[in-house]
Amino acid sequence: MRVLLIGANGYLGRYVADRLLADPAVQLTALGRGDDADVRFDLASGSPGALTRFLDAVHPGVVVNCAGATRGGARELTRHNTVAVATVCEALRRSGCGARLVQIGCGAEYGPSQPGSSTAEDAVPRPGGPYGVSKLAATELVLGSGLDAVVLRVFSPAGPGTPAGSPLGRLAEAMRRAMQSGDGELKLAGLGAQRDFVDVRDVARAVHAASLSAAQGVINIGSGRAVRLRDAAAVLARVAGYGGALHELDGPPGPLRASIGHPRSESDHAAPVAYPYPDGCGSWQQADVRTARDRLGWRPRINLEESLADIWMEAACRI
């Protein structure tokens, strides 16, 4: 099976590439903006015609799109998350390759949900911020394209390679600084949010399964269990061997300003308390993952403690 992977050098894309390369039946070609891609192409600025010519030359059986942006203003998010997907869909429609499309979506497309509930694929999406809106628009483009396509709505990815700017990445960095300086207490803000964390390696397994399946539409990829960020912090402290006290700074949700583990100063207590998840999903998110089990034969295998241990190992190497 010839697979074209878009965004192979990104956080999720690297693990998807590793998973696909481990399958001897897969012949992988990477397309992206970086120098390490087999073919350099910018989906946000490239034309569908140029991509069509490449598809006709390579003739992949599956196209996996892991490319996109998680940060930036509405215009940048729209370019990289929506316009880019429109380019992929149009190129596939024009091409004679007949490739199946596996699009990486995001749990942020759903927006806020009721605490205690599990969000299934038939929930009405109500994204609460520009990132979720841009990803939802991409999903709608894929679903309306007429292509053989599936959208994997990935909830909160965790594990090795977690970006330092993400909530779990900032948490690990704050703990690393505290241990390096011998600080016996760590003040953290906004630990009340509960999210469904899923390991990136499990996400890669789901992409592999979706590539081989005939499943179409939207499929949630998560652990099926919401975890409070303060509980994740306690687990991280245990795996890191941090014996200091964790003090939570309480406050209402607000825009991301001072991040988790921000440097303390005399004005900290007067500053707005940071909310660690500016994804527009409120205080709770938990995936209903029964569709992934039934249609892909997929279940998460890696627990959050292992994911956090890997995040910590990478942070500790910076000491």
Side-chain angles (χ1 to χ4, degrees):
M1 180 175 65
R2 190 185 299 271
V3 178
L4 174 63
L5 175 59
I6 305 172
N9 61 341
Y11 173 37
L12 296 179
R14 291 195 297 272
Y15 291 94
V16 171
D18 289 345
R19 179 71 186 185
L20 293 174
L21 286 170
D23 184 345
V26 170
Q27 183 178 355
L28 186 67
T29 301
L31 181 148
R33 292 181 291 168
D35 293 334
D36 54 347
D38 296 321
V39 177
R40 293 190 65 181
F41 188 84
D42 186 348
L43 289 177
S45 58
S47 71
L51 184 56
T52 299
R53 290 190 291 273
F54 176 73
L55 290 172
D56 288 338
V58 175
H59 213 78
V62 178
V63 174
V64 177
N65 183 26
C66 293
T70 58
R71 295 175 178 273
R75 177 176 297 181
E76 183 178 4
L77 291 169
T78 300
R79 285 183 61 242
H80 291 289
N81 294 338
T82 309
V83 175
V85 172
T87 298
V88 172
C89 290
E90 180 61 24
L92 282 169
R93 279 196 297 264
R94 296 182 189 181
S95 172
C97 69
R100 171 173 172 79
L101 174 61
V102 179
Q103 166 70 16
I104 305 302
C106 181
E109 296 174 41
Y110 289 117
S113 56
Q114 186 69 28
S117 67
S118 292
T119 302
E121 290 83 357
D122 60 358
V124 177
R126 293 185 176 88
Y131 172 67
V133 169
S134 68
K135 293 294 288 185
L136 176 60
T139 291
E140 294 299 334
L141 286 170
V142 171
L143 298 180
S145 66
L147 300 169
D148 174 14
V150 62
V151 177
L152 302 183
R153 274 190 179 143
V154 177
F155 277 61
S156 297
T162 293
S166 70
L168 292 180
R170 293 196 300 270
L171 182 58
E173 175 61 17
M175 200 161 292
R176 182 196 71 81
R177 289 199 306 265
M179 294 179 71
Q180 188 176 26
S181 63
D183 197 338
E185 63 175 11
L186 183 58
K187 292 185 178 180
L188 303 168
L191 299 183
Q194 297 182 71
R195 288 294 181 269
D196 187 325
F197 296 106
V198 57
D199 193 274
V200 287
R201 292 157 293 192
D202 280 335
V203 174
R205 287 179 41 248
V207 172
H208 187 204
S211 300
L212 300 174
S213 79
Q216 296 186 339
V218 174
I219 299 178
N220 290 340
I221 303 298
S223 69
R225 183 173 69 96
V227 175
R228 196 179 301 274
L229 196 58
R230 71 168 63 95
D231 296 330
V235 172
L236 186 63
R238 184 172 70 248
V239 300
Y242 177 66
L246 299 179
H247 296 295
E248 182 177 356
L249 303 176
D250 295 321
L256 185 68
R257 296 183 66 176
S259 64
I260 288 176
H262 63 286
R264 289 179 295 157
S265 69
E266 293 299 321
S267 61
D268 273 357
H269 296 289
V273 175
Y275 194 55
Y277 273 92
D279 56 5
C281 293
S283 63
W284 172 275
Q285 195 171 55
Q286 178 175 284
D288 183 328
V289 294
R290 289 176 294 179
T291 301
R293 178 197 63 198
D294 296 341
R295 299 176 65 187
L296 301 181
W298 176 90
R299 297 174 187 266
R301 295 177 181 171
I302 300 174
N303 61 39
L304 181 57
E305 183 167 351
E306 183 175 345
S307 301
L308 289 170
D310 289 330
I311 292 172
W312 172 249
M313 286 299 295
E314 292 183 342
C317 287
R318 295 194 290 271
I319 292 180

